[in-house]
Amino acid sequence: MTTTTPARRATSSDVAKRAGLSRTTVSQILNGNVSQFPQETRDRVAAAASELNYRPSRAGRTLVTGVSDMVVVTFPSITFGAHLQDAVDQITEASATLGMSVVVRFAGRDTSSTLTSVLDLRPMAVIDFGVFTPDQARDLETAGTHVIPPTHDVGNNTEDELDILIGRLQVGELVRRGKRRVIFARLQDSRAAPYGDFRLRGVQAECVASGLPDPLVIHVQLEADAAAQSLREAIEITGSEPIAVCAYNDDVAIAIIAAARRLGLDVPSHVGVLGVDHTRIGQLVSPRLATVQIDLPRMIAGALERLASLRGFVRTAAADDGGTAAPGDFVHVISGDSC
């Protein structure tokens, strides 16, 4: 039996020889520091690397720089819907063009263990969807990992403001449709509903601003009988007046519609329902769901522009827009037949 010696892996020196450039220039470009070099030089390096099937040594780069060519995307322990899947795909595709790999990490209730796991990976960047506290984000940055959004943005509570605004939009739309008695329907699930507290705060604030009673809070399972029981108990408190249900998300809103149907309550004349997320399934149910749409692709684009800038790519006008956009620029009400 014969053995075959593995082909030697191409190095940056090989790429430099093939491109006819200095090793320093090639190393800079291969490491993503491209802004200082003309496009023709970048193209020569890219062509030489492709011809040699060059792949960077991630372990070696980690030893030199202290961080890896890795992006960790952190999510709270939440239901993984289609929009979040699209977000991961958007991040993965963009990161690949930057020569970076993506790891998705769902956090448990103990975020300190998640922090430890991420620190062990030594990623270049973390795109955080609300897992880490400002102090934990600063720990990551102290270790050399860039946190997106950065800690000074986290301190501004931009994401919290977004969810508070969502709650306010829900109440405003339902009141505009003639409903006055507000119910906030939370998701009851083994996973966390991390944005619920802030959306409830928005609902409460808008009720105060509109001169309405404090909202009644109910917990809704995504199961017909249990949802009907939750709605029945709410009706016993609110009485016969029409109600406005601000649902945590579209899934909860659909559960409320099913519950109302079981209880013989008309949607929207007696039970007005407004969801969040603008899911495809919400637009297929009857009555068609009114909802709040979150422009997640635009939010992700802003994060990716920050990531590109870390790799030495020039920021675009879209990046500047993403950096200055207010929470209200990312959310708006989608009309439907449920409220």
Side-chain angles (χ1 to χ4, degrees), residues 230-294:
S230 296
L231 185 60
R232 181 184 295 109
E233 293 171 356
I235 296 295
E236 291 173 356
I237 297 172
T238 61
S240 59
E241 64 178 312
I243 58 174
V245 180
C246 303
Y248 170 73
N249 62 13
D250 280 6
D251 288 348
V252 172
I254 293 169
I256 290 292
I257 291 174
R261 186 172 291 119
R262 289 207 171 200
L263 298 178
L265 303 173
D266 184 72
V267 177
S269 62
H270 192 93
V271 180
V273 186
L274 189 64
V276 179
D277 282 341
H278 194 214
T279 58
R280 295 182 183 93
I281 195 67
Q283 300 305 297
L284 297 176
V285 300
S286 181
R288 184 172 58 87
L289 188 62
T291 186
V292 177
Q293 182 180 40
I294 304 171

Side-chain angles (χ1 to χ4, degrees), residues 21 24-34 37 41-42 45-46:
L21 297 167
T24 299
T25 296
V26 169
S27 294
Q28 288 285 319
I29 293 174
L30 291 176
N31 286 324
N33 301 317
V34 299
F37 299 103
T41 302
R42 299 183 221 171
V45 173

Side-chain angles (χ1 to χ4, degrees), residues 69-75 80 83-105 125-129 148-149 296-305 307-308:
D69 287 341
M70 185 182 297
V71 181
V72 177
V73 183
T74 54
F75 290 104
F80 198 69
H83 289 322
L84 287 184
Q85 180 63 60
D86 290 343
V88 171
D89 289 344
Q90 184 181 357
I91 293 169
T92 301
E93 290 171 7
S95 297
T97 66
L98 301 174
M100 306 184 75
S101 300
V102 173
V103 172
V104 177
R105 179 64 155 83
V126 169
I127 299 178
D128 182 32
F129 280 80
I148 303 172
L296 192 56
R298 183 180 174 191
M299 295 176 68
I300 296 299
L304 292 173
E305 290 289 353
L307 186 62

Side-chain angles (χ1 to χ4, degrees), residues 148-277:
I148 303 172
T151 51
H152 63 268
D153 284 356
V154 173
N156 291 333
N157 294 319
T158 303
E159 294 180 355
D160 299 350
E161 291 176 9
L162 183 74
D163 285 299
I164 290 171
L165 177 60
I166 286 171
R168 300 197 72 139
L169 285 175
Q170 287 181 298
V171 174
E173 179 67 12
L174 287 161
V175 169
R176 188 178 71 81
R177 301 293 185 99
K179 305 298 189 299
R180 305 288 296 176
R181 190 62 174 95
V182 176
I183 294 174
F184 182 70
R186 305 193 67 141
L187 173 64
Q188 183 173 327
D189 188 73
S190 59
R191 295 184 179 91
Y195 313 117
D197 289 343
F198 298 107
R199 291 176 188 175
L200 174 57
R201 281 172 52 185
V203 169
Q204 292 168 329
E206 192 62 26
C207 283
V208 170
S210 302
L212 302 176
D214 289 339
L216 176 65
V217 180
I218 63 175
H219 293 79
V220 178
Q221 295 182 44
L222 302 183
E223 193 276 324
D225 289 337
Q229 180 61 28
S230 296
L231 185 60
R232 181 184 295 109
E233 293 171 356
I235 296 295
E236 291 173 356
I237 297 172
T238 61
S240 59
E241 64 178 312
I243 58 174
V245 180
C246 303
Y248 170 73
N249 62 13
D250 280 6
D251 288 348
V252 172
I254 293 169
I256 290 292
I257 291 174
R261 186 172 291 119
R262 289 207 171 200
L263 298 178
L265 303 173
D266 184 72
V267 177
S269 62
H270 192 93
V271 180
V273 186
L274 189 64
V276 179
D277 282 341

